[in-house]
Amino acid sequence: MSLFKARDWWSAALGEKEEFDQGCLCVADVDNSGNGQDKIIVGSYIGYLRIFNPHPVKPGDGMQAEDLLLEVQLRDSILQVEVGKFVSGTELLHLAVLHCRKLCVYAVSGTLGNVEHGNQYQIKLMYEHNLQRTACNMTYGPFGGVKGRDLICIQSMDGMLMLFEQESYAFGRFLPGFLLPGPLTYSSRTDSFITVSSCQQVESYKYQVLAFATDADERQETEQQKLSSGKRLVMDWVLNIGEQALDICVVSFNQTSSVFVLGERNFFCLKDNGQIRFMKKLDCSPSCFLPYCSVSEGTINTLVGNHNNMLHVYQDVTLKWATQLPHIPVAVKVGNLQDLKGVIVTLSDSGHLQCSYLGTDPSLFQAPKVESREINYEELDREMKELQKIIKESTKTQDILPKSEKDYDDLRITAEVSPDLDVDSQAIDSEVRAEAVPSVTVKITLQSRLAVQKTKLSICVQPPLALTHDQFIFDDIESCGSKAVALSVFLKGNCPPAELEGDAVASYSTPTGIPRVAQCKFRLPLRLICFPAQPSKTANHKLTIDTNKPPVSLVNLFPDFADQSDEDQVNVLGFQFLTGSRITLLASKTSQRYRIQSEQLEDLWLITKELAFRLEEHFKKQNSKDFTCTFSGSVPLQEYFELIDRHFELRLNAEKFEELLSERAIQFRAIERRLLTRFKDKTPAPLQHLDTLLEGTYRQIIALADAAEENQTNMFQAFTKLKSATQLVIMLISLWQKLSTDQVAILEATFLPLMQDTQELGWEESVDAAISHLLRTCLSKSSKEQALTLTSQLSIPKDTSRLKKHITLLCDRLAKGGRLCLSTDTNIQQTMVMPGGCTPIQESDLEERTGVQDSTTMFTNHRHLTKQKSKTDFPQGALEEAEKP
């Protein structure tokens, strides 16, 4: 419990589902009792008017029945309540109630009771004014220096000040440059109205200037008439405070007056001429304030309530006291209740009314004595070693990604992919030119260990794959509850995807408000993008994967593609993508090899990856833990470089189209300006074929825009093909050099840094920078290369020769024993032994390597030098014949 908690003297809860705001609270002797005891007047937006006179038996008591003097429901919502001398002929206090379209003034009186039920109170309507405009707020005071009575000024929502001399309407004036209404108050010392406009300016208007200015009813006159009649409404002074104001108040003390303004982040104290006396920056967002005179201290104190349930007491800019409230106050007043002076009255927006005073509670808690025990040094040493081990593991820099703490997840997300394709395809707006585009259903399940809030589920697949739904929003998930959604995935673009994986990410908030994220991955079936087909007898690209286990029948590996009755499919299978490409897979009967062949290099990736995955799953089921795949052929860098050049050419075309479009657009606007000048000319002049030139330029712009759009589509397909080929090259290098999982992750981060390709940051410059960093760190051969610095700004290169040279050099250094790592210690020359017992070959400088091997180099494992034979036909045993020397 806080030591500086507000001491509850009396409190009450007002109604149910009622709303209150800043002007709904007033503290005054509204019934003119004469004993100096204030009453609490509260009005609500529903229309209830309540008057309280608290009489708690002991501090902290709740409301008793006799504390409520009056409760009446008015027909309109109550915006503001004030108490003043509003009736002519008497100086008694009356109650003014402001509604949206009405101002009512009531007399509150009490009748002594003859029985135990006590006194009876009632209100009597003295007069009312029907407003022509919707009211926002009001202020009152002795306008013009009148004695013994108060006048009322109402500000409307459209910026009009309506002044009432008690029972009669005086005049109305519109504020200049008005946009939105702000807080309004009256300074009796300067006889002026002070408000804060939507321009974040404190503005002061003299009452005399308002009285003699042009009447608001004459605003419809022309400008000429306005200049010739009436006076213009001008400000007395203005001050820019740089923020919107929540409230404004004038306090007079020692023959001086100060204007207090509560902003969104500061509160200001101004002199009556608009100069800043002081300002205070607030630490928390304020909700209300009240400046008041402290007679005992001879100063002006300010109560400031904020949205952290705190009430601060400032003396000028010095914080004198801070106290905790049970609610967020929207209005605060100070009154004299039951001979207790300076009671703080606060009201929340939900109707929590509390009277409190400042004070402290002494802490009665005493800490228990700690039992003395002997220290076990052996146990402390053991615990210290365990903690040091944990610290050492957590500070390692070798990990690419942080480890997830699954044991502490409040929300677990799982994805289940249907084993069968949808009977009725859910594919919509697909660009694939196939007879039928299949789809598969994915079921996402959220299981919550605790109650979570604001859960947003997002599902993502790589284009050209698409989803029927990609986002789901759940308001709340109960503890130990679950939510499940289903969606379909299909091929939308007219090219094979680079990955058959998807991500499901759920962002949520814990019960304590901490944001967290849970995610999972799911694999999509190969049947989603291809179907069984006859094997192709011709192929331009062939890959051979070696294994250390006996060959497996393709019928067992691909039961969803093979026909069980066809004996020929035991060693050969055909796959055809929905986009038209065909891939052939062959398995050797005697040797432990598999061959994948196709007309396009990028088409080999998905089948090769699926083959490796299914082989691992097959031998894992047989409890074979030493299964490995190797690649002993040549890394197809030449074909890979052709894909890079194609993608880079399309990027250059995109730049050219952008420049041409900019030139034609400038020309089009110039022709438009000349035509507009000709049309505006009073003397008609010949167009000199400007209209023909405009039409021709327009057609050129449309043609260029269509060509740029087509080039953008081709560039997206080229980037997808490049990603597939890049994945294939990474896999072949990892199988060739037997890279570890961490090294493969570094290679993937190097070659696949971007999910999307843009003109500002493209694939070529990003990969070139990443490879250059590896060549100068973990793959460097001397300290000379390590001293070279890389450029900090990436831009599109002139050509791809430098990138292809660096990729060739990367493969060369990996072939000579280099290994990838993220360690910062790169000064030690790596002397790792190559597979097969060969030591690394000393390399020449980077500049000298450019002439040794060109960009078409094919890297081969030194242990397996095999001949690549081009075969156009493959009878049974064709692969075995090709393997014979």
Side-chain angles (χ1 to χ4, degrees), residues 637-665:
L637 290 185
Q638 172 61 29
E639 295 83 353
Y640 181 53
F641 291 159
E642 291 177 0
L643 291 173
I644 294 177
D645 291 336
R646 172 60 178 163
H647 175 259
F648 186 72
E649 179 186 357
L650 293 173
R651 286 189 64 194
L652 294 180
N653 292 342
E655 279 196 342
K656 293 178 182 178
F657 284 129
E658 186 176 351
E659 293 176 1
L660 289 175
L661 275 172
S662 178
E663 293 176 359
R664 294 298 179 269

Short mmCIF file of all heavy atoms in Angstrom, two decimals, residues 637-665:
data_model
loop_
_atom_site.label_atom_id
_atom_site.label_comp_id
_atom_site.label_asym_id
_atom_site.label_seq_id
_atom_site.Cartn_x
_atom_site.Cartn_y
_atom_site.Cartn_z
N LEU A 637 27.76 -23.47 -62.25
CA LEU A 637 27.82 -22.01 -62.12
C LEU A 637 27.50 -21.29 -63.42
O LEU A 637 26.95 -20.18 -63.38
CB LEU A 637 29.22 -21.61 -61.64
CG LEU A 637 29.57 -21.97 -60.19
CD1 LEU A 637 30.92 -21.39 -59.82
CD2 LEU A 637 28.51 -21.47 -59.22
N GLN A 638 27.86 -21.87 -64.58
CA GLN A 638 27.60 -21.19 -65.84
C GLN A 638 26.10 -20.95 -66.03
O GLN A 638 25.66 -19.85 -66.37
CB GLN A 638 28.17 -22.02 -67.00
CG GLN A 638 27.80 -21.52 -68.38
CD GLN A 638 28.28 -20.12 -68.65
OE1 GLN A 638 29.31 -19.70 -68.10
NE2 GLN A 638 27.57 -19.38 -69.48
N GLU A 639 25.28 -22.02 -65.83
CA GLU A 639 23.83 -21.86 -65.97
C GLU A 639 23.27 -20.92 -64.90
O GLU A 639 22.32 -20.16 -65.15
CB GLU A 639 23.15 -23.22 -65.88
CG GLU A 639 23.50 -24.18 -67.02
CD GLU A 639 24.81 -24.91 -66.77
OE1 GLU A 639 25.49 -24.58 -65.78
OE2 GLU A 639 25.14 -25.81 -67.58
N TYR A 640 23.88 -20.97 -63.71
CA TYR A 640 23.44 -20.08 -62.63
C TYR A 640 23.72 -18.62 -62.98
O TYR A 640 22.89 -17.73 -62.74
CB TYR A 640 24.16 -20.47 -61.34
CG TYR A 640 23.80 -19.65 -60.13
CD1 TYR A 640 22.48 -19.48 -59.74
CD2 TYR A 640 24.79 -19.04 -59.37
CE1 TYR A 640 22.14 -18.73 -58.63
CE2 TYR A 640 24.47 -18.29 -58.25
CZ TYR A 640 23.15 -18.14 -57.90
OH TYR A 640 22.82 -17.39 -56.78
N PHE A 641 24.88 -18.36 -63.60
CA PHE A 641 25.21 -16.99 -63.99
C PHE A 641 24.29 -16.48 -65.09
O PHE A 641 24.03 -15.27 -65.17
CB PHE A 641 26.67 -16.93 -64.45
CG PHE A 641 27.66 -17.14 -63.33
CD1 PHE A 641 28.96 -17.54 -63.59
CD2 PHE A 641 27.29 -16.95 -62.01
CE1 PHE A 641 29.86 -17.73 -62.58
CE2 PHE A 641 28.19 -17.15 -60.97
CZ PHE A 641 29.48 -17.54 -61.26
N GLU A 642 23.80 -17.36 -65.94
CA GLU A 642 22.85 -16.92 -66.97
C GLU A 642 21.56 -16.41 -66.35
O GLU A 642 20.98 -15.41 -66.81
CB GLU A 642 22.56 -18.09 -67.92
CG GLU A 642 23.74 -18.48 -68.81
CD GLU A 642 23.42 -19.67 -69.68
OE1 GLU A 642 22.28 -20.19 -69.58
OE2 GLU A 642 24.29 -20.09 -70.46
N LEU A 643 21.10 -17.07 -65.28
CA LEU A 643 19.90 -16.59 -64.57
C LEU A 643 20.17 -15.24 -63.90
O LEU A 643 19.29 -14.36 -63.87
CB LEU A 643 19.46 -17.62 -63.53
CG LEU A 643 18.88 -18.92 -64.08
CD1 LEU A 643 18.65 -19.90 -62.94
CD2 LEU A 643 17.59 -18.68 -64.83
N ILE A 644 21.38 -15.07 -63.36
CA ILE A 644 21.74 -13.78 -62.75
C ILE A 644 21.72 -12.67 -63.80
O ILE A 644 21.17 -11.58 -63.57
CB ILE A 644 23.11 -13.87 -62.06
CG1 ILE A 644 23.05 -14.84 -60.88
CG2 ILE A 644 23.58 -12.50 -61.60
CD1 ILE A 644 24.38 -15.05 -60.18
N ASP A 645 22.31 -12.96 -64.97
CA ASP A 645 22.33 -11.95 -66.04
C ASP A 645 20.92 -11.61 -66.51
O ASP A 645 20.62 -10.44 -66.80
CB ASP A 645 23.17 -12.46 -67.21
CG ASP A 645 24.65 -12.55 -66.86
OD1 ASP A 645 25.06 -11.83 -65.94
OD2 ASP A 645 25.36 -13.35 -67.49
N ARG A 646 20.04 -12.61 -66.60
CA ARG A 646 18.67 -12.36 -67.03
C ARG A 646 17.95 -11.45 -66.03
O ARG A 646 17.27 -10.49 -66.41
CB ARG A 646 17.92 -13.69 -67.18
CG ARG A 646 16.44 -13.56 -67.43
CD ARG A 646 16.14 -12.79 -68.69
NE ARG A 646 14.69 -12.72 -68.94
CZ ARG A 646 14.14 -11.86 -69.77
NH1 ARG A 646 14.89 -11.00 -70.45
NH2 ARG A 646 12.84 -11.85 -69.95
N HIS A 647 18.10 -11.74 -64.76
CA HIS A 647 17.46 -10.91 -63.74
C HIS A 647 18.03 -9.50 -63.73
O HIS A 647 17.29 -8.50 -63.63
CB HIS A 647 17.64 -11.56 -62.36
CG HIS A 647 17.12 -10.74 -61.23
ND1 HIS A 647 17.94 -9.99 -60.41
CD2 HIS A 647 15.86 -10.52 -60.78
CE1 HIS A 647 17.21 -9.35 -59.51
NE2 HIS A 647 15.95 -9.66 -59.71
N PHE A 648 19.34 -9.37 -63.88
CA PHE A 648 19.96 -8.05 -63.87
C PHE A 648 19.55 -7.24 -65.11
O PHE A 648 19.34 -6.02 -65.03
CB PHE A 648 21.48 -8.21 -63.83
CG PHE A 648 22.21 -6.92 -63.69
CD1 PHE A 648 22.20 -6.22 -62.48
CD2 PHE A 648 22.91 -6.37 -64.75
CE1 PHE A 648 22.87 -5.02 -62.34
CE2 PHE A 648 23.58 -5.17 -64.62
CZ PHE A 648 23.57 -4.49 -63.41
N GLU A 649 19.39 -7.91 -66.25
CA GLU A 649 18.94 -7.22 -67.46
C GLU A 649 17.54 -6.64 -67.28
O GLU A 649 17.26 -5.52 -67.70
CB GLU A 649 18.96 -8.21 -68.64
CG GLU A 649 18.49 -7.60 -69.94
CD GLU A 649 18.39 -8.63 -71.05
OE1 GLU A 649 18.74 -9.81 -70.80
OE2 GLU A 649 17.95 -8.28 -72.15
N LEU A 650 16.67 -7.38 -66.63
CA LEU A 650 15.32 -6.87 -66.38
C LEU A 650 15.34 -5.70 -65.41
O LEU A 650 14.53 -4.77 -65.52
CB LEU A 650 14.43 -8.00 -65.85
CG LEU A 650 14.13 -9.12 -66.84
CD1 LEU A 650 13.39 -10.26 -66.15
CD2 LEU A 650 13.29 -8.59 -68.00
N ARG A 651 16.26 -5.71 -64.45
CA ARG A 651 16.38 -4.56 -63.53
C ARG A 651 16.82 -3.32 -64.29
O ARG A 651 16.31 -2.21 -64.04
CB ARG A 651 17.37 -4.88 -62.42
CG ARG A 651 16.87 -5.83 -61.36
CD ARG A 651 17.84 -5.90 -60.20
NE ARG A 651 17.95 -4.61 -59.53
CZ ARG A 651 18.93 -4.33 -58.66
NH1 ARG A 651 19.86 -5.23 -58.40
NH2 ARG A 651 18.96 -3.15 -58.08
N LEU A 652 17.77 -3.48 -65.21
CA LEU A 652 18.20 -2.33 -66.02
C LEU A 652 17.07 -1.83 -66.90
O LEU A 652 16.89 -0.61 -67.08
CB LEU A 652 19.41 -2.73 -66.87
CG LEU A 652 20.70 -3.07 -66.12
CD1 LEU A 652 21.79 -3.44 -67.11
CD2 LEU A 652 21.15 -1.92 -65.24
N ASN A 653 16.28 -2.77 -67.44
CA ASN A 653 15.12 -2.36 -68.25
C ASN A 653 14.12 -1.56 -67.41
O ASN A 653 13.52 -0.59 -67.90
CB ASN A 653 14.45 -3.58 -68.87
CG ASN A 653 15.32 -4.24 -69.92
OD1 ASN A 653 16.25 -3.64 -70.44
ND2 ASN A 653 15.03 -5.49 -70.23
N ALA A 654 13.93 -1.97 -66.16
CA ALA A 654 13.01 -1.24 -65.29
C ALA A 654 13.48 0.19 -65.07
O ALA A 654 12.67 1.13 -65.06
CB ALA A 654 12.86 -1.97 -63.96
N GLU A 655 14.81 0.39 -64.91
CA GLU A 655 15.33 1.75 -64.76
C GLU A 655 15.10 2.57 -66.04
O GLU A 655 14.73 3.75 -65.98
CB GLU A 655 16.82 1.69 -64.43
CG GLU A 655 17.12 1.42 -62.97
CD GLU A 655 18.56 1.75 -62.63
OE1 GLU A 655 19.37 1.85 -63.57
OE2 GLU A 655 18.87 1.91 -61.44
N LYS A 656 15.30 1.94 -67.20
CA LYS A 656 15.10 2.66 -68.45
C LYS A 656 13.64 3.06 -68.62
O LYS A 656 13.34 4.19 -69.04
CB LYS A 656 15.55 1.79 -69.62
CG LYS A 656 17.05 1.52 -69.66
CD LYS A 656 17.42 0.60 -70.82
CE LYS A 656 18.92 0.30 -70.81
NZ LYS A 656 19.30 -0.64 -71.91
N PHE A 657 12.72 2.14 -68.31
CA PHE A 657 11.30 2.47 -68.42
C PHE A 657 10.94 3.61 -67.48
O PHE A 657 10.13 4.48 -67.82
CB PHE A 657 10.45 1.24 -68.12
CG PHE A 657 10.40 0.24 -69.25
CD1 PHE A 657 10.68 -1.10 -69.04
CD2 PHE A 657 10.07 0.64 -70.53
CE1 PHE A 657 10.64 -2.01 -70.07
CE2 PHE A 657 10.02 -0.27 -71.57
CZ PHE A 657 10.31 -1.59 -71.35
N GLU A 658 11.52 3.61 -66.28
CA GLU A 658 11.21 4.67 -65.32
C GLU A 658 11.71 6.03 -65.84
O GLU A 658 11.01 7.04 -65.72
CB GLU A 658 11.88 4.34 -63.98
CG GLU A 658 11.51 5.30 -62.86
CD GLU A 658 12.10 4.89 -61.53
OE1 GLU A 658 12.64 3.77 -61.45
OE2 GLU A 658 12.00 5.68 -60.59
N GLU A 659 12.90 6.05 -66.43
CA GLU A 659 13.42 7.30 -66.98
C GLU A 659 12.56 7.78 -68.15
O GLU A 659 12.25 8.97 -68.26
CB GLU A 659 14.87 7.09 -67.43
CG GLU A 659 15.84 6.84 -66.29
CD GLU A 659 17.24 6.54 -66.79
OE1 GLU A 659 17.42 6.55 -68.03
OE2 GLU A 659 18.13 6.30 -65.97
N LEU A 660 12.19 6.85 -69.06
CA LEU A 660 11.37 7.24 -70.20
C LEU A 660 10.00 7.75 -69.76
O LEU A 660 9.48 8.74 -70.30
CB LEU A 660 11.21 6.06 -71.15
CG LEU A 660 12.47 5.65 -71.94
CD1 LEU A 660 12.21 4.38 -72.74
CD2 LEU A 660 12.91 6.78 -72.87
N LEU A 661 9.40 7.09 -68.76
CA LEU A 661 8.10 7.56 -68.25
C LEU A 661 8.22 8.95 -67.65
O LEU A 661 7.33 9.80 -67.83
CB LEU A 661 7.57 6.57 -67.21
CG LEU A 661 6.79 5.37 -67.73
CD1 LEU A 661 6.49 4.39 -66.61
CD2 LEU A 661 5.49 5.81 -68.38
N SER A 662 9.33 9.21 -66.95
CA SER A 662 9.52 10.54 -66.36
C SER A 662 9.66 11.59 -67.46
O SER A 662 9.06 12.69 -67.36
CB SER A 662 10.75 10.52 -65.47
OG SER A 662 10.99 11.80 -64.93
N GLU A 663 10.40 11.28 -68.51
CA GLU A 663 10.56 12.24 -69.60
C GLU A 663 9.23 12.51 -70.30
O GLU A 663 8.89 13.67 -70.58
CB GLU A 663 11.59 11.71 -70.60
CG GLU A 663 13.00 11.63 -70.06
CD GLU A 663 13.96 11.01 -71.06
OE1 GLU A 663 13.48 10.63 -72.17
OE2 GLU A 663 15.15 10.88 -70.74
N ARG A 664 8.47 11.46 -70.60
CA ARG A 664 7.18 11.65 -71.28
C ARG A 664 6.19 12.39 -70.39
O ARG A 664 5.37 13.17 -70.88
CB ARG A 664 6.62 10.30 -71.71
CG ARG A 664 7.41 9.58 -72.77
CD ARG A 664 7.46 10.39 -74.08
NE ARG A 664 8.24 9.72 -75.10
CZ ARG A 664 9.53 9.90 -75.30
NH1 ARG A 664 10.20 10.74 -74.51
NH2 ARG A 664 10.17 9.26 -76.25
N ALA A 665 6.25 12.14 -69.10
CA ALA A 665 5.33 12.85 -68.19
C ALA A 665 5.65 14.34 -68.16
O ALA A 665 4.76 15.19 -68.14
CB ALA A 665 5.42 12.25 -66.79
#
